[in-house]
């Protein structure tokens, strides 16, 4: 035990009070240490001090989790994080040890400790120990919630399973936990818990869980980048939004709406949330956070098409009854559209206004005013959809002004008002609505005054009359009269009838003070500023929507302050109560999306638009030669490029004797140049290998001597010189997690294993076997860590079992030098040689599985993407070939505009599907 504790101190590599780390990186190593500590068998066998060959490395003297480190939902939390800017908190920064720790939860944690107000969209979180306790106690509950969401969602790519599962779990926790919070705790099962929890403590735990889930989704959205966040996080959030409105319970107005009937205030823009709005709050908050990160295109190119999909009518042209999922989708679509409209610029709103009218408003109104389509939840769901739809139309009218309403929204507004005339006529034709044909399954067809004949379902008349009442007519007619003015006579043919219905309602609530003729207010001007002396109608301020123009005679004047100062958008309606004041934050006409350094534009926008349209079932790598970013800084040729496992940073080694750490967050329009985050300059020769030990999160680089260093601080942890200066190292490879060993090959064909956690040599094996195969040019370790394959300069390859040290196989694989070897799952090896060939092997089979021949140049660098190989040649040609199909290869020549110099190294980001290409001029480019 004492040896283990000493070893854990040495493994930390730095004092505990000097932690300065990137969000999501160091917790992996700490979690690994804690997991290995719990594994009893390796520890027991290693207690004798004997070599352990069962896994290729000995696991004695395991490191223990430092007591000063704490975790929240898998995220590392520093001891005293400081408030950070939104960008740095979301994306994280690497800094030296003198800087403050920057973590993804730094801002929220600081706000909790300092008593500062927290963002409204998230609830206050407890301390980290309470979060950890809650996450352990609700493990079984989370698994059940995850299973429910998985059944509703599509399967992702094979490479994306881990991300998809994480997002599904997080999202299911969000909506289910929020539902529990709204219900104020819920019932607890006394048999599963030692003691009954009070309602207050249960609600607090659910709030902590919800808060943690929202923070995790926001952190992932920034960490994964625009394409992956949109494909996997935003898509699942959009699907989840519909689930927030499923069922009659979610469609009931909340108690906060007031004790009076929901429509009695007479204000169509008054906030009257239903329970589904409360449940969907965290989902909408996360969706808008993604839009804040990556800009307005997220709203118009991803959210709006999904809204169109939700409200699109079914494939059947005949009358149909909505299912509960479609009903919830309509409510979710209108709610999300209201959020989108507020954040759109004036130019963008006018560009997409025809799409909103024809693809959103009209389909919603077709369901809302249908005489043959019923709602599963009956009149309540139709009433909620009616209130939300009219609020949406009113918001658009206020944004664009009267003239644009007449040009673009005449049809939706007239369609809605027309339903009052249809129901009015049906009341007078009541005797004709019980034909014998209805019993036979055929709906009656009724002729209306406009000359059209429409199918009518008599069973729905009661539902429709409960929704489109006198109260609804009054609630809509008065504000729209103020909004539209004289235009109402042009675009609404039956405005007189609706006015009469509104007058009847006004008489019913105050028969002595109002008459039907007094309902129609004076003709207002175009502005949204309200004059209490004109019956609650807008006062003439000359504004037209939110565009800010003032018409003075024949001159258009831009005012100094185009934002009206008013108590409410529609103000109190006389005779129907005050209507209540609104919160500007919740009901603003227009809000600016904050400018982000990671907003999509140029090539990034074009590539993102393509990626969100690609099916998640597409497992092929498509190279479009789109330049996304450049990374200049090396003064010599780039010899190796290695992305970190999280794909938010990558390493590069060069002839200039430096290793640089670069951030991979999107920036600019494709022409942006990114500076390195850290430069490691302790090498004395040209660096020919760089890689990451995934388990402890250390960097391994080699220039003839192997350097192990911390990528978060740049501190050298260990330097391993060759055992004999006359026998230099020629190839290096790192073992996969959970192993912590480095394998090195020297010019005498000897393979050595070194554990980075302790001094000395772990294993040493001879590969030559009495032969003289030449120098070891390349090493590859299998994904399981059970075997290592070495490629020699003579074309000979040797396969070694790391558990026993036995040579499993040696064979002449190529006629020239082995340039590179990769090992794949399923005991598959891929090797390239100077004889222009790329060969796929099974480890213990004599003949190759596939053999590719390059016509002009040898394939000196390649990487793997699933079952495909992405290759590169010195002629700057990128090829893609399959490991499974018959030999065929698609080749693309890099253009000089996108890539200059000679290709020297290549690395693929499998999750983001990007290529990192290093050149002999020291510049690295990110292409897709």
């Amino acid at each position: 035990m004492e040896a283990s504790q000493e070893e854990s101190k040495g493994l930390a590599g730095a004092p505990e009070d000097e932690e300065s780390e990137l969000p999501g990186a160091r917790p992996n190593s700490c979690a690994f240490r804690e997991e290995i500590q719990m594994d009893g068998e390796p520890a027991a066998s290693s207690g004798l001090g004997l070599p352990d060959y069962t896994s290729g490395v000995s696991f004695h003297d395991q490191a223990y989790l430092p007591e000063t480190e704490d975790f929240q939902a898998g995220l590392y939390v520093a001891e005293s994080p400081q408030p950070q800017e939104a960008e740095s908190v979301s994306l994280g920064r690497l800094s030296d040890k003198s800087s403050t720790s920057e973590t993804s939860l730094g801002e929220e944690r600081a706000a909790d400790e300092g008593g500062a107000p927290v963002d409204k969209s998230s609830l206050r979180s407890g301390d980290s120990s309470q979060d950890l306790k809650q996450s352990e106690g609700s493990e079984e509950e989370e698994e059940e919630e995850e299973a429910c969401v998985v059944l509703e969602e599509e399967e992702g790519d094979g490479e994306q399973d881990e991300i998809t599962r994480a997002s599904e779990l997080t999202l299911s926790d969000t909506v289910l936990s929020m539902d529990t919070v709204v219900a104020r705790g819920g019932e607890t099962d006394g048999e599963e818990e030692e003691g009954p929890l009070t309602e207050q403590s249960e609600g607090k735990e659910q709030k902590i869980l919800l808060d943690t889930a929202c923070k995790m989704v926001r952190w992932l959205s920034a960490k994964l980048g625009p394409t992956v966040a949109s494909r996997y996080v935003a898509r699942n959030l959009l699907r989840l939004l519909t689930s927030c409105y499923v069922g009659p319970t979610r469609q009931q107005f909340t108690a906060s709406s007031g004790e009076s009937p929901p429509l009695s205030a007479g204000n169509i823009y008054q906030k009257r949330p239903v329970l589904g709005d409360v449940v969907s709050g965290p989902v909408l908050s996360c969706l808008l956070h993604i839009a804040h990160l990556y800009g307005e295109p997220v709203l118009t190119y991803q959210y709006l098409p999904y809204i169109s999909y939700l409200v699109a009518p079914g494939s059947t042209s005949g009358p149909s009854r909505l299912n509960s999922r479609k009903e919830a989708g309509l409510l979710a679509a209108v709610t999300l559209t209201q959020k989108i409209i507020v954040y759109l610029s004036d130019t963008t709103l006018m560009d997409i206004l025809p799409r909103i009218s024809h693809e959103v408003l009209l389909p919603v109104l077709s369901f809302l005013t249908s005489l043959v389509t019923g709602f599963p939840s009956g009149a309540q769901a139709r009433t909620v959809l009616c209130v939300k739809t009219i609020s949406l139309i009113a918001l658009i009218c206020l944004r664009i002004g009267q003239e644009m309403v007449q040009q673009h929204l005449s049809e939706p507004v007239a369609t809605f008002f027309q339903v009052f005339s249809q129901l009015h006529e049906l009341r007078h034709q009541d005797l004709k609505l019980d034909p014998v044909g209805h019993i036979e399954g055929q709906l009656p067809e009724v002729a209306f005054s406009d000359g059209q004949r429409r199918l009518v379902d008599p069973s729905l008349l009661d539902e429709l009359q409960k929704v489109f009442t006198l109260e609804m007519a009054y609630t809509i007619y008065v504000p729209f009269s103020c909004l539209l003015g004289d235009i109402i006579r042009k675009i609404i043919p039956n405005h007189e009838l609706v006015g009469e219905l509104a007058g009847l309602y006004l008489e019913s609530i105050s028969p002595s003070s109002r008459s039907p003729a007094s309902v129609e207010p004076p003709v207002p001007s175009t502005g949204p500023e309200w004059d209490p002396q004109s019956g609650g109608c807008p006062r003439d301020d000359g504004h037209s929507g939110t565009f800010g123009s003032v018409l003075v005679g024949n001159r258009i004047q831009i005012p100094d302050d185009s934002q009206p100062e008013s108590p409410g958008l529609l103000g109190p309606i006389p005779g129907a109560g005050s209507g209540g004041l609104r919160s500007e934050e919740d009901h603003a006409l227009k809000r600016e999306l904050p400018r982000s350094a990671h907003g999509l534009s140029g090539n990034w926008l074009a590539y993102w638009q393509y990626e969100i349209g690609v099916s998640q079932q597409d497992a092929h790598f498509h190279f479009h030669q789109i330049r996304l970013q450049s990374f200049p800084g090396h003064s010599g040729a780039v010899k190796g490029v290695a992305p970190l496992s999280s794909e938010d940073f990558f390493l590069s080694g060069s002839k200039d004797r430096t290793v640089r750490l670069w951030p991979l967050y999107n920036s600019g329009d494709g022409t942006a140049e990114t500076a390195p985050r850290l430069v490691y300059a302790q090498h004395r020769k040209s660096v020919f290998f760089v890689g990451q030990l995934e388990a402890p999160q250390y960097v391994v680089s080699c220039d003839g001597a192997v350097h192990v260093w911390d990528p978060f601080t740049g501190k050298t942890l260990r330097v391993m010189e060759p055992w004999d200066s006359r026998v230099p190292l020629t190839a290096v490879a790192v073992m996969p997690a959970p192993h912590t060993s480095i394998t090195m090959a020297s010019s005498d064909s000897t393979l050595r294993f070194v554990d980075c956690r302790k001094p000395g040599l772990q294993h040493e094996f001879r590969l030559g076997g009495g032969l003289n195969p030449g120098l070891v040019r390349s090493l590859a370790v299998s994904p399981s860590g059970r075997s290592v394959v070495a490629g020699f300069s003579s074309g000979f390859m040797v396969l070694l079992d790391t558990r026993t040290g036995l040579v499993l196989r040696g064979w002449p694989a190529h006629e020239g030098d082995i340039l590179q070897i990769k090992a794949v799952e399923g005991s598959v090896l891929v090797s390239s040689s100077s004889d222009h060939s790329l060969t796929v092997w099974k480890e213990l089979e004599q003949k190759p599985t596939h053999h590719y021949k390059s016509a002009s140049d040898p394939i000196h660098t390649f990487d793997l993407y699933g079952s495909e190989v992405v290759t590169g040649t010195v002629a700057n040609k990128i090829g893609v070939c399959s490991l499974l199909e018959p030999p065929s290869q698609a080749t693309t020549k890099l253009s000089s505009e996108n890539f200059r110099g000679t290709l020297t190294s290549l690395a693929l980001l499998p999750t983001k599907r990007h290529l990192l290409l290093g050149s002999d001029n020291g510049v690295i480019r990110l292409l897709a």
Side-chain angles (χ1 to χ4, degrees):
M1 180 62 68
E2 294 178 358
S4 301
Q5 293 176 350
E6 292 176 358
E7 192 61 30
S8 64
K9 295 179 181 179
L11 191 143
E16 293 174 350
D17 59 349
E18 295 182 353
E19 297 287 343
S20 177
E21 300 166 348
L22 182 69
R26 180 64 71 186
N28 294 337
S29 64
C30 296
F32 159 74
R33 297 170 190 171
E34 187 176 22
E35 177 184 356
I36 296 303
Q37 177 186 344
M38 296 172 63
D39 189 356
E41 295 181 3
S45 62
S46 61
L48 301 177
L50 300 177
D52 183 5
Y53 295 96
T54 58
S55 60
V57 293
S58 58
F59 279 90
H60 58 283
D61 298 338
Q62 296 298 333
Y64 292 88
L65 182 68
E67 296 179 356
T68 57
E69 294 184 1
D70 200 5
F71 295 87
Q72 279 188 354
L75 295 178
Y76 176 78
V77 181
E79 286 296 311
S80 57
Q82 301 296 328
Q84 304 291 331
E85 300 176 358
E87 291 295 331
S88 62
V89 170
S90 298
L91 302 182
R93 294 176 180 172
L94 283 162
S95 60
D96 57 18
K97 297 210 170 192
S98 62
S99 64
T100 57
S101 299
E102 297 172 355
T103 66
S104 62
L105 298 180
E107 183 177 2
E108 292 83 0
R109 182 77 176 271
D112 290 343
E113 294 176 357
V118 187
D119 183 25
K120 280 179 57 181
S121 62
S122 62
L123 301 172
R124 185 177 299 274
S125 173
D127 57 13
S128 58
S129 61
Q130 189 171 3
D131 282 350
L132 187 59
K133 178 180 178 181
Q134 169 64 16
S135 63
E136 293 173 354
S138 59
E139 181 178 358
E140 296 178 0
E141 181 181 352
E142 292 175 357
E143 292 175 356
E144 294 175 1
E145 294 169 356
E146 179 183 8
C148 295
V149 178
V150 170
L151 292 177
E152 297 176 358
E153 297 178 349
E154 301 175 1
E155 295 182 0
D157 292 316
E159 292 78 14
Q160 312 296 343
D161 287 344
E162 183 178 353
I163 297 175
T164 306
R165 287 196 300 270
S167 61
E168 288 168 353
L169 176 59
T170 303
L171 300 179
S172 65
D173 288 345
T174 302
V175 66
L176 295 176
S177 301
M178 189 61 211
D179 198 9
T180 309
V181 172
V182 174
R184 296 185 178 181
E187 298 181 358
T188 59
D189 190 353
E191 297 178 358
E192 296 180 0
E193 298 180 358
E194 297 180 359
L197 294 176
T198 63
E199 186 175 327
Q200 182 178 4
S201 62
E202 179 70 15
K204 183 178 181 181
E205 290 179 354
Q206 294 295 341
K207 289 179 181 180
I208 293 173
L209 181 61
L210 172 66
D211 187 34
T212 304
C214 292
K215 291 175 182 177
M216 178 65 75
V217 172
R218 295 183 180 188
W219 176 76
L220 276 176
S221 301
K223 182 180 179 66
L224 296 177
T227 56
V228 180
S230 293
R231 284 168 59 92
Y232 296 97
V233 179
R235 279 183 183 178
N236 288 330
L237 286 170
L238 291 171
R239 293 191 190 105
L240 190 62
L241 187 62
T242 300
S243 303
C244 297
Y245 293 92
V246 174
T249 304
R250 300 280 180 87
Q251 297 158 7
Q252 299 294 327
F253 289 99
T254 60
S256 61
S257 299
E259 298 179 356
S260 58
L263 299 177
S264 63
N267 185 350
I268 64 174
Y269 209 78
Q270 179 189 3
K271 185 177 182 181
R272 292 188 295 272
V274 295
L275 182 60
D277 294 328
V278 182
V279 175
S280 66
V283 182
L284 289 170
S285 175
C286 293
L287 285 170
L288 292 178
H289 179 77
I290 296 176
H292 290 172
L293 282 175
Y294 303 118
E296 199 175 60
V298 177
L299 302 176
T300 56
Y301 290 106
Q302 184 173 21
Y303 295 175
L304 188 60
Y306 185 78
I307 291 172
S308 302
Y309 160 76
L310 285 180
V311 304
S315 58
T316 57
S317 58
S320 62
R321 187 174 181 86
L322 293 175
N323 56 37
S324 58
R325 187 77 183 176
K326 184 71 173 180
E327 177 186 79
L330 293 173
L331 295 173
V334 176
T335 303
L336 182 58
T337 306
Q338 284 182 309
K339 296 290 184 180
I340 289 178
I341 294 297
V342 172
Y343 284 98
L344 292 178
S345 64
D346 293 330
T347 303
T348 304
L349 177 59
M350 292 308 302
D351 289 341
I352 67 172
L353 189 57
R355 287 182 57 196
I356 294 176
S357 175
H358 291 89
E359 298 180 13
V360 179
L361 294 180
L362 289 177
V364 169
L365 290 171
S366 69
F367 287 107
L368 183 61
T369 62
S370 174
L371 302 176
V372 295
T373 302
F375 281 64
S377 301
Q380 177 65 27
R382 199 185 287 256
T383 299
V384 174
L385 181 62
C386 181
V387 172
K388 287 181 172 291
T389 303
I390 297 306
S391 297
L392 173 61
I393 296 176
L395 173 63
I396 298 176
C397 292
L398 288 167
R399 283 290 309 268
I400 65 178
Q402 292 181 2
E403 297 82 2
M404 293 296 102
V405 170
Q406 183 178 4
Q407 182 176 348
H408 296 285
L409 293 184
S410 298
E411 187 177 359
V413 175
T415 300
F416 178 78
F417 276 78
Q418 187 65 27
V419 71
F420 290 97
S421 296
Q422 296 173 2
L423 292 178
H424 181 72
E425 294 182 30
L426 289 176
R427 291 191 189 97
H428 296 81
Q429 303 179 20
D430 193 32
L431 298 177
K432 302 179 183 180
L433 291 181
D434 192 17
V436 180
H438 179 58
I439 302 177
E440 300 175 355
Q442 298 179 358
L443 297 178
E445 195 175 56
V446 180
F448 291 89
S449 59
D450 58 0
Q452 297 185 5
R453 299 181 63 86
R454 299 181 179 89
L455 295 175
V456 178
D457 187 351
S459 63
L460 294 179
L461 291 182
D462 184 57
E463 176 183 322
L464 291 168
Q465 289 172 1
K466 288 181 179 178
V467 177
F468 300 103
T469 59
L470 298 179
E471 185 181 4
M472 180 69 78
Y474 174 79
T475 304
I476 294 170
Y477 180 75
V478 173
F480 267 92
S481 298
C482 298
L483 284 171
L484 303 179
D486 282 339
I487 298 178
I488 195 173
R489 305 176 185 273
K490 300 178 183 179
I491 66 177
I492 303 177
N494 63 331
H495 71 280
E496 294 181 355
L497 172 62
V498 181
E500 292 177 2
L501 298 176
L504 293 176
Y505 172 74
L506 193 56
E507 270 193 334
S508 66
I509 60 173
S510 54
S512 60
S513 60
R514 287 283 185 264
S515 63
S518 65
V519 174
E520 188 167 351
V523 177
S525 64
T526 61
E529 195 166 339
W530 301 92
D531 186 1
Q533 302 299 327
S534 62
C537 294
R539 185 175 72 247
D540 187 1
D541 66 346
H543 293 278
S544 179
T546 58
F547 293 85
S549 61
V550 176
L551 191 62
V552 181
N554 61 352
R555 184 178 80 255
I556 296 177
Q557 179 176 341
I558 306 300
D560 295 334
D561 184 10
S562 61
Q563 296 296 332
E565 297 179 359
S566 59
L569 289 176
L570 296 176
I573 303 297
S578 62
L581 298 179
R582 66 181 177 87
S583 168
E584 184 177 356
E585 182 178 357
D586 293 335
H587 295 291
L589 280 180
K590 178 183 176 183
R591 300 185 66 187
E592 296 289 339
L593 276 176
R595 283 188 171 272
S596 169
H598 307 283
L600 296 170
S601 62
N603 287 354
W604 270 109
L605 176 58
Y607 173 69
W608 175 83
Q609 286 178 297
Y610 166 79
E611 277 293 307
I612 62 174
V614 175
S615 171
Q616 292 185 354
Q617 307 299 326
D618 188 359
H620 297 288
F621 178 80
H622 303 281
F623 183 63
H624 306 282
Q625 202 171 164
I626 302 176
R627 186 177 65 176
L628 300 178
Q629 236 157 303
S630 299
F631 304 90
H634 284 296
S635 58
V638 178
K639 301 293 291 182
V641 178
L644 301 189
S645 56
S646 57
E647 296 189 15
D648 50 358
F649 285 85
F650 75 93
L651 298 158
S652 63
S654 170
K655 280 188 174 181
D656 63 3
R657 298 178 293 180
T658 64
V659 178
R660 297 173 187 254
L661 180 69
W662 311 82
L664 271 172
Y665 298 110
N666 68 294
S667 176
D669 58 358
T671 60
E673 295 184 350
T674 304
R677 191 65 57 87
L678 185 146
V679 178
Y680 182 78
Q682 303 302 316
H683 287 283
R684 293 174 294 179
K685 300 178 184 177
S686 172
V687 179
F688 63 83
F689 172 83
V690 62
Q692 182 194 27
L693 263 176
E694 188 173 352
Q697 298 285 288
Y698 295 154
V699 174
V700 178
S701 53
C702 182
D703 63 348
V706 176
H707 291 233
V708 181
W709 50 280
D710 192 329
F712 310 101
T713 62
K715 179 180 179 180
T716 303
L717 303 177
R718 185 176 177 183
V719 177
M720 291 167 280
E721 297 285 350
W723 276 255
D724 189 344
S725 59
R726 297 170 297 177
V727 185
L729 298 179
T730 57
V732 179
V734 293
M735 300 287 286
H739 309 297
T740 57
S741 297
I742 306 167
T743 176
M744 303 172 288
S746 55
S747 59
D748 60 353
S749 302
T750 301
L751 196 63
R752 295 178 174 88
F753 290 84
V754 175
D755 192 332
C756 69
R757 302 171 300 174
K758 60 181 182 179
L761 187 64
Q762 191 177 15
H763 306 299
E764 181 175 325
F765 305 111
R766 293 284 298 180
L767 298 177
L771 302 177
N772 186 18
L775 300 177
V776 178
R777 295 294 191 188
S778 180
L779 288 175
V781 183
S782 65
S784 64
R786 295 181 178 180
S787 61
V788 175
V789 62
F792 290 83
S793 57
S794 62
F796 202 77
M797 291 173 62
V798 174
L799 181 65
L800 179 78
D801 190 332
T802 59
R803 296 169 294 179
T804 62
L806 299 178
V807 175
L808 300 177
R809 183 186 175 196
W811 73 103
H814 295 274
E815 297 177 356
D817 285 7
I818 303 292
L819 299 179
Q820 191 173 0
I821 304 176
K822 293 278 186 180
V824 195
E825 290 284 356
S827 303
V828 176
L829 303 173
V830 184
S831 61
S832 67
S833 171
S834 59
D835 61 4
H836 295 199
S837 64
L838 179 77
T839 310
V840 182
W841 308 84
K842 280 284 189 178
E843 284 188 355
L844 300 179
E845 293 183 5
Q846 297 297 324
K847 294 184 178 180
T849 305
H850 295 299
H851 186 78
Y852 299 90
K853 197 79 172 179
S854 175
S856 56
D857 302 289
I859 299 171
H860 69 290
T861 180
F862 66 88
D863 207 344
L864 303 174
Y865 178 79
S867 61
E868 295 180 326
V869 183
V870 181
T871 64
T873 68
V874 292
N876 292 351
K877 292 182 179 180
I878 303 297
V880 180
C881 53
S882 175
L883 296 176
L884 306 176
E885 300 174 358
S888 62
Q889 186 175 12
T891 305
T892 303
K893 172 74 174 178
L894 293 172
S895 66
S896 58
E897 180 182 358
N898 295 326
F899 187 84
R900 296 179 181 177
T902 302
L903 179 66
T904 57
S905 57
L906 175 150
L908 189 142
L909 307 175
T911 302
K912 297 181 178 180
R913 300 202 278 198
H914 296 164
L915 276 182
L916 284 168
L917 305 178
S919 64
D920 60 348
N921 56 19
V923 179
I924 305 166
R925 297 191 185 274
L926 181 69
L927 278 75

